[in-house]
Amino acid sequence: MQVRAATRVSDSRLHIVNVKGDGHGSGSAPLASTASLALATPELPAGAGQPPIIARKAWAQDMAPPRVAPEYGAVEMAFVHHTENPNGYAASEVPAMLRAIYVFHRYVKGWNDIGYNFVVDLYGRIFEARAGGIDEPVVGAQAGGYNLVSTGIAMLGTFSSVPISKAARDALERLLAWKLSLHGAPSQGRVTVKVNPAGASYSRFPADARVSLPRIAGHRDGDATECPGNVLYGELPTIRTGVQRLAPNPTRATLTLTIPAVVPETGATPESSGATAPNGTPTGRAQTLSGILELLDGTPLSGAPVLIQARAVSHRGEVVSERTLGETTTNPAGRWELDATPLSPSRGGIWLRAICPGGPGVGAAVSDPLHLPGGISLATPPTSPPAQSTAQTRQAAI
């Protein structure tokens, strides 16, 4: 073991990481083969289509549990990283390499899970990294100050003086085209974001500063680092062009809850006019969930299916499911509405999203999540045709 440092090193700790899974460091436990690596779900045809994404469980192998359940934010941009592992690794070594990164992030850095949302190896394989759902806006620990508004993709290796492989580049472009399109974000141009004080110590900019960053950024664009390496950073302009070619005009979905104005009748009581939740949201009063489905250029999507789903998270994010509460289709203006009746507040409330699962000529898209203090009952309009011809008009509650 040799350590090089610019200054004298003292009181340091050495972490010996056994990622083989045999408990003795002997290396006798077999590493997963490529054929045995299961794919993550769901599959949503956003952008040019969803690339194969290897599920987290394929590399974690029950040895890399998150510390807590994940947080969720939004995906307005993407950061590209390199992991600074040695290049030239074998395909069979990658699961163990990911477990080693997890151990470094989880136990040395003290983070809740592996920091990256996705990792791409030199063979062009895409791995789900941080738990929480590949189709969700999972908050990572990959770009201090910007984790709440971004997704992070790490290229496995070191790319300071060598380029990424063609297979890795193709996979990166396909993943970026899919993930950004799914959340309605363009691949070109810039976006203004605010530096989160919680991660500002990593940032090149002060806390709460409003910063303009590329939609597809290198880690060094936002934080004080050399990541993702000089050569890979220099490749980003052509990578952005490749992503734009794959997904020139993706679908965008929105979700809002509208509370109609009510003029109280004389002598009305809270029981007769609807109770109010602690945060001011009335319960028991009819409200409206609504949104728009359109292309990024503003073209409305008519007759497209829209589902309203509630997120359920278990096993600290390693199991995530979305329960469909209601469904409808968009009108000629690309708009949709559903009658909603909020129920009593519950611990933690619920998170909703609107999702278009995609179809002929329509790419999949998910809205930013919407938090409600309690359950909600949705009624699908009787005149709305069933989405994907699989469900009839119905009322659901959670």
Side-chain angles (χ1 to χ4, degrees), residues 114-133:
I114 188 171
Y116 311 117
N117 298 102
F118 302 92
V119 175
V120 180
D121 71 10
L122 68 86
Y123 303 97
R125 300 180 302 176
I126 303 168
F127 291 82
E128 175 189 13
R130 176 162 283 220

Side-chain angles (χ1 to χ4, degrees), residues 58-328:
W59 63 264
Q61 298 179 12
D62 297 324
M63 292 185 282
R67 185 175 69 88
V68 295
E71 296 182 51
Y72 295 90
V75 177
E76 300 179 20
M77 60 175 296
F79 281 99
V80 176
H81 306 261
H82 69 167
T83 64
E84 295 189 278
N85 289 84
N87 299 321
Y89 47 84
S92 62
E93 294 179 292
V94 172
M97 294 171 70
L98 295 181
R99 291 195 294 274
I101 294 171
Y102 159 86
V103 169
F104 176 65
H105 288 179
R106 172 75 175 81
Y107 297 103
V108 180
K109 291 288 191 180
W111 299 342
N112 292 332
D113 193 0
I114 188 171
Y116 311 117
N117 298 102
F118 302 92
V119 175
V120 180
D121 71 10
L122 68 86
Y123 303 97
R125 300 180 302 176
I126 303 168
F127 291 82
E128 175 189 13
R130 176 162 283 220
I134 59 171
D135 57 322
E136 304 281 0
V138 179
V139 175
Q142 43 87 25
Y146 315 97
N147 289 311
L148 291 172
V149 294
S150 66
T151 189
I153 303 172
M155 310 305 291
L156 190 62
T158 301
F159 303 102
S160 300
S161 57
V162 297
I164 59 176
S165 67
K166 182 181 184 304
R169 179 170 171 163
D170 290 346
L172 174 61
E173 291 180 357
R174 290 185 64 194
L175 177 59
L176 285 165
W178 175 75
K179 185 62 175 174
L180 290 176
S181 295
L182 184 65
H183 296 278
S187 58
Q188 296 286 333
R190 305 178 73 86
V191 60
T192 299
V193 296
K194 187 170 76 170
V195 178
N196 184 351
S201 60
Y202 298 95
S203 176
R204 296 175 51 227
F205 307 96
D208 293 319
R210 298 190 66 81
V211 180
S212 175
L213 295 174
R215 291 283 187 171
I216 299 175
H219 189 190
R220 66 175 65 176
D221 287 319
D223 288 340
T225 176
E226 293 300 311
C227 182
N230 289 337
V231 174
L232 177 52
Y233 186 77
E235 293 181 282
L236 290 182
T238 52
I239 288 172
R240 295 185 190 105
T241 300
V243 175
Q244 172 71 9
R245 185 169 55 250
L246 289 171
N249 197 18
T251 304
R252 184 176 72 94
T254 65
L255 173 64
T256 57
L257 178 66
T258 303
I259 304 172
V262 175
V263 179
E265 299 178 3
T266 303
T269 65
E271 288 76 15
S272 62
S273 61
T276 301
N279 69 348
T281 301
T283 61
R285 182 195 300 173
Q287 301 176 25
T288 302
L289 276 177
S290 62
I292 300 174
L293 196 66
E294 62 185 7
L295 300 180
L296 279 185
D297 65 7
T299 302
L301 296 173
S302 176
V306 175
L307 311 180
I308 304 302
Q309 297 181 331
R311 182 194 304 136
V313 179
S314 61
H315 296 81
R316 289 173 286 187
E318 293 188 293
V319 178
V320 180
S321 61
E322 295 282 355
R323 178 185 175 191
T324 298
L325 305 183
E327 52 194 79
T328 187

